[in-house]
Amino acid sequence: GMLGRRGEGRRVGGYSRHDEEWMTRMLVWILLGTVLWGLYVILGDSREVRWRTPPGWVPEEPLLSAFVHERSAFRTQSVWQNGGIVVGSEEEEVELGRSGVDLEDRIRESLEQWNHSFVVPERSEGASINGPELRLSLRDRVLQVVNQYHGRVHPSLSRTNWSKDSGALWRRMKDEVAIVVKTGKEVAPTRMKKLSQWLHVSDVPNLMFISDHGDENLGLVDLREVTREIFRDLSSSKYRLDSDGVPHDVLLGGWRGDKDKNLPGFLALYYRFPSAKFYIMVDDDTYVFLENLAHILSRRWRYAFSKPEWGGNAYRIACLPWSRKGTTSGVANPIFAHGGSGIVLNHRAMQSLSPLVPSCLQKYVICWAGDMMLSACLLENGLPFSLRIPEMVGDPPSRQLFSSKYHTLWTSELKIATLHKLSEQELEWVSQYDQLRGPGHIDFASLRKHLLQSGLQKSEPERKFNMEGDILKR
């Protein structure tokens, strides 16, 4: 009976009715699939992503950010370079790739290669993907400024005959430490040449120079342009802005304008090197012992991404609203990190500071010292001074070695991290001794002995004027 049922409807050399019905269904599905695919190609996503490039677009620049948008029912992704590609430009179209997972992987690989995090910039309200209006985030606008200047350095800092050993520990840590050197238009050419006594680009790969005026040949990032971008995001400002969008009393040039470099300088450094464990700012007349610095950082290395920590050499804030005498209403003023000898922020502290920079630039603009402005911003936003680093020295040996106040420090075996405001003669003696002893072996007592034997003489304390014209001793 079963064999009979299986044989029902069979024709010699032909197909059963069941087979014919199955083949008919398959043809219908194939035809339907072809029609749907054709509609997708015509009306949906062509899977080709095309953007127009703005004037001055440089393909060799690192990928800075990725813009994620919706098109029809499909999610597509594309990239802009050099801070952003403006849709609707008259420039030649450049195909950047295909949408979907493949392009996303390419974006992430490129960003990792250039040490940039995956950033989705803000899109202006009401903007269309086919319209000209795309609003870049503050991060991207600041990076546009930084990339305009960053890359070149003074020839003495990249010379080929560099032979000084920076130290084994520093070599292991250097890729995760970002250093910014603060300079100014008037002194940059001579000061940057002196930096070559301790600094070489091969030893500090995450390096930036900031100034009140940009210089592409020296790699000086223009902080006036950075500050302008910061103030563009403020809904209102109580300060009069110049024609270029920078507050009238900000970055005036010289020592008076130096106070406005710390906050935007750290922000630019963070945006350029977003994954560093530590961020450090020093002056252009500061000598850094990299191996000794590495040992200090290693004590707090494990907390870089989990616990906000910052500090340096501890001083008392002496600008408004605090008294210049170090105490206010009988209470000691808060502590700040002395800027010249070096300010250190770990990643978590820098991450917390970055969104505070615009408001703090406004709030503390009347303060006469940038290191105090920075410290006040951190302190008043719940980030206490936590890293006391006496190994970062704020005054030159020619002052401290002849003062009983510093006798204990300069007869100790603590390893010196930085020396600020060295004279040309002091710089020569320190550099020679550093080369002679080698990395990691310069302590206060041994350097004191060397400098006195070399003929170091006492110098008078420097006297400076604050923004109100009052004489202050630092």
Side-chain angles (χ1 to χ4, degrees):
M2 184 176 291
L3 291 174
R5 285 194 296 274
R6 285 189 176 183
E8 287 179 3
R10 182 178 295 278
R11 298 193 300 271
V12 177
Y15 300 95
S16 68
R17 185 171 58 190
H18 174 75
D19 292 335
E20 291 175 347
E21 290 175 354
W22 181 83
M23 293 179 67
T24 301
R25 291 192 188 100
M26 287 296 296
L27 289 172
V28 170
W29 280 110
I30 291 172
L31 180 61
L32 181 60
T34 303
V35 171
L36 290 174
W37 176 254
L39 291 173
Y40 163 70
V41 171
I42 295 172
L43 303 176
D45 193 341
S46 67
R47 302 194 65 78
E48 295 295 328
V49 181
R50 291 178 180 270
W51 292 90
R52 298 179 184 272
T53 62
W57 181 68
V58 182
E60 292 79 14
E61 284 293 313
L63 292 167
L64 297 180
S65 52
F67 175 62
V68 182
H69 68 270
E70 297 288 345
R71 181 177 177 185
S72 301
F74 302 92
R75 191 168 187 79
T76 61
Q77 302 203 10
S78 188
V79 179
W80 64 61
Q81 294 215 25
N82 203 25
I85 291 181
V86 180
V87 178
S89 168
E90 296 298 326
E91 299 297 314
E92 178 184 1
E93 290 187 349
V94 176
E95 179 182 316
L96 294 180
R98 295 183 178 276
S99 64
V101 177
D102 291 342
L103 181 57
E104 181 177 347
D105 289 342
R106 285 177 51 203
I107 294 169
R108 292 184 183 278
E109 290 173 2
S110 299
L111 292 172
E112 289 172 0
Q113 174 186 353
W114 289 97
N115 197 25
H116 284 285
S117 57
F118 193 85
V119 180
V120 181
E122 303 174 24
R123 184 171 163 186
S124 62
E125 186 175 343
S128 167
I129 194 61
N130 296 316
E133 190 179 0
L134 283 176
R135 179 175 177 270
L136 298 183
S137 67
L138 174 61
R139 177 191 295 266
D140 284 319
R141 298 200 312 273
V142 169
L143 281 171
Q144 280 185 320
V145 176
V146 170
N147 288 340
Q148 179 182 347
Y149 298 99
H150 184 264
R152 295 185 181 180
V153 295
H154 193 282
S156 63
L157 303 180
S158 59
R159 64 186 190 274
T160 57
N161 62 342
W162 180 255
S163 59
K164 186 176 180 180
D165 183 11
S166 60
L169 182 58
W170 174 257
R171 286 195 298 272
R172 293 199 297 271
M173 297 169 61
K174 65 180 183 180
D175 291 327
E176 297 183 272
V177 179
I179 296 180
V180 58
V181 178
K182 181 162 59 75
T183 186
K185 177 183 178 182
E186 295 88 351
V187 297
T190 55
R191 294 272 181 91
M192 293 186 73
K193 185 176 181 180
K194 293 179 181 179
L195 286 170
S196 64
Q197 298 283 0
W198 67 269
L199 177 60
H200 192 271
V201 291
S202 62
D203 288 332
V204 186
N206 302 329
L207 178 65
M208 181 185 294
F209 296 93
I210 55 174
S211 176
D212 46 10
H213 285 77
D215 189 323
E216 294 183 22
N217 294 323
L218 296 179
L220 304 183
V221 175
D222 193 334
L223 286 186
R224 287 185 61 83
E225 295 185 28
V226 173
T227 303
R228 179 192 63 214
E229 297 303 331
I230 293 172
F231 271 79
R232 277 179 57 186
D233 276 7
L234 296 176
S235 57
S236 62
S237 175
K238 61 183 179 180
Y239 302 105
R240 181 164 59 91
L241 304 183
D242 290 337
S243 58
D244 56 3
V246 178
H248 181 67
D249 292 326
V250 170
L251 287 164
L252 298 175
W255 188 81
R256 293 187 67 195
D258 190 70
K259 72 182 184 67
D260 302 308
K261 297 173 185 174
N262 295 71
L263 283 166
F266 264 117
L267 187 67
L269 185 68
Y270 176 54
Y271 285 166
R272 180 61 183 85
F273 304 107
S275 59
K277 283 192 173 181
F278 282 92
Y279 299 88
I280 301 171
M281 179 179 290
V282 296
D283 278 5
D284 55 5
D285 56 353
T286 299
Y287 191 101
V288 180
F289 300 87
L290 292 173
E291 183 72 355
N292 290 352
L293 177 62
H295 281 281
I296 293 171
L297 299 180
S298 68
R299 304 170 195 163
R300 315 303 299 173
W301 198 252
R302 70 178 76 176
Y303 304 111
F305 289 98
S306 59
K307 180 181 178 181
E309 295 184 328
W310 66 277
N313 197 341
Y315 283 62
R316 294 285 178 187
I317 292 181
C319 71
L320 295 176
W322 296 279
S323 167
R324 294 190 295 270
K325 298 179 180 179
T327 59
T328 303
S329 301
V331 179
N333 291 355
I335 291 174
F336 76 97
H338 180 258
S341 53
I343 302 174
V344 178
L345 283 80
N346 72 1
H347 181 92
R348 190 67 186 87
M350 187 65 250
Q351 191 178 48
S352 300
L353 172 68
S354 61
L356 304 173
V357 168
S359 60
C360 286
L361 267 177
Q362 284 202 107
K363 183 175 182 179
Y364 302 108
V365 71
I366 196 170
C367 184
W368 61 272
D371 44 13
M372 296 184 192
M373 292 172 63
L374 172 70
S375 298
C377 179
L378 290 162
L379 291 168
E380 294 208 330
N381 285 281
L383 297 167
F385 185 105
S386 51
L387 298 178
R388 288 177 176 263
I389 310 177
E391 297 95 329
M392 289 181 156
V393 181
D395 289 318
S398 56
R399 296 180 202 165
Q400 292 197 354
L401 263 61
F402 301 95
S403 170
S404 58
K405 178 180 178 181
Y406 300 103
H407 178 77
T408 300
L409 177 66
W410 278 94
T411 54
S412 73
E413 295 183 355
L414 282 175
K415 301 296 178 62
I416 306 174
T418 65
L419 289 172
H420 179 228
K421 281 200 171 297
L422 295 179
S423 66
E424 289 193 22
Q425 183 62 76
E426 286 174 303
L427 177 62
E428 181 180 344
W429 287 335
V430 168
S431 178
Q432 289 175 351
Y433 192 61
D434 189 15
Q435 189 83 7
L436 176 67
R437 292 294 301 271
H441 296 287
I442 307 296
D443 58 62
F444 282 93
S446 64
L447 181 60
R448 174 181 181 273
K449 181 179 179 180
H450 171 75
L451 292 174
L452 292 176
Q453 290 178 346
S454 300
L456 181 68
Q457 299 294 320
K458 181 180 179 180
S459 65
E460 293 299 320
E462 184 179 6
R463 298 166 72 83
K464 289 183 177 179
F465 290 85
N466 72 355
M467 293 298 291
E468 298 172 331
D470 296 324
I471 297 177
L472 294 173
K473 291 186 179 181
R474 290 289 300 278

